[in-house]
Amino acid sequence: MNDKLAVSKDHVVHFHYVLRDCDGKEVESSRDGEPSAVLFGHGNLMQGLERALDGKMPGEQFEATAAPADAFGERRDDWTQRVSKKYVNGAARLKPGMQTKLQTEQGPRVVTVVKVGGKFLDVDLNHPLAGQDVTFEIEVVSVRAATAEELSHGHVHGAGGHHH
Ligand code: ZN
């Protein structure tokens, strides 16, 4: 009997992923922890990942490549900003070329340090993977129908999701 559900809108998908940059270097992975959980079809995933997962079955493993527009965006020239060091964790250790996380109005954002001054840092706001074709290695772990409550909240409850 095959009662497995395919990945589709209004379903909760648990999946493992390894994200690689355009040189094949591993940037991020869920493999050392719990699988990611996402309410599918609600704009919670980047386009490239959403398209790759659509219709896949639990147990399927595959690779998908996403162009910048479907992943971390195109790189914008001269998109830098000067920030006060007192708003940056561990600012004293930062050197040009290093990455750090800034809290912004849109949430945490990974930026690259361009220049270090006495009291300020100049940072490049482009995501480090902007302008790159990235590759995801994906394993679909499980798929289940979302609950009415999850659909109204727009996110997953329970394992891998929100607890409230
Ligand atoms: Zn909720």
Side-chain angles (χ1 to χ4, degrees):
M1 189 179 129
N2 186 357
D3 55 358
K4 283 183 176 177
L5 295 166
V7 175
S8 57
K9 188 168 174 8
D10 298 342
H11 285 68
V12 170
V13 183
H14 285 85
F15 64 99
H16 274 299
Y17 70 93
V18 176
L19 168 63
R20 296 185 188 279
D21 69 12
C22 60
D23 297 321
K25 187 173 145 269
E26 182 176 317
V27 179
E28 222 178 278
S29 171
S30 66
R31 285 289 177 187
D32 38 12
E34 295 297 311
S36 283
V38 70
L39 177 59
F40 196 78
H42 288 254
N44 295 322
L45 286 175
M46 60 181 64
Q47 280 291 321
L49 201 47
E50 182 132 342
R51 208 173 297 148
L53 275 164
D54 198 14
K56 294 291 194 298
M57 300 297 293
E60 272 196 78
Q61 294 191 39
F62 58 97
E63 227 182 76
T65 300
D70 295 330
F72 295 94
E74 301 291 350
R75 180 161 284 280
R76 289 164 57 178
D77 288 336
D78 303 320
W79 194 22
T80 59
Q81 187 178 314
R82 179 158 287 189
V83 293
S84 172
K85 279 184 173 176
K86 64 182 173 192
Y87 298 122
V88 181
N89 284 332
R93 290 180 291 104
L94 292 173
K95 294 189 175 67
M98 291 172 79
Q99 285 160 13
T100 186
K101 233 177 227 177
L102 284 189
Q103 298 302 325
T104 72
E105 285 168 9
Q106 289 83 38
R109 177 175 198 109
V110 180
V111 300
T112 305
V113 177
V114 180
K115 194 172 151 191
V116 180
K119 289 184 174 162
F120 295 94
L121 295 173
D122 288 340
V123 298
D124 185 340
L125 294 172
N126 284 293
H127 189 282
L129 293 174
Q132 293 192 29
D133 288 349
V134 295
T135 303
F136 293 96
E137 290 165 24
I138 300 169
E139 179 188 357
V140 179
V141 176
S142 66
V143 180
R144 65 166 168 83
T147 65
E149 194 184 41
E150 286 173 323
L151 291 174
S152 76
H153 287 199
H155 57 226
V156 177
H157 289 166
H162 290 240
H163 297 271
H164 62 172

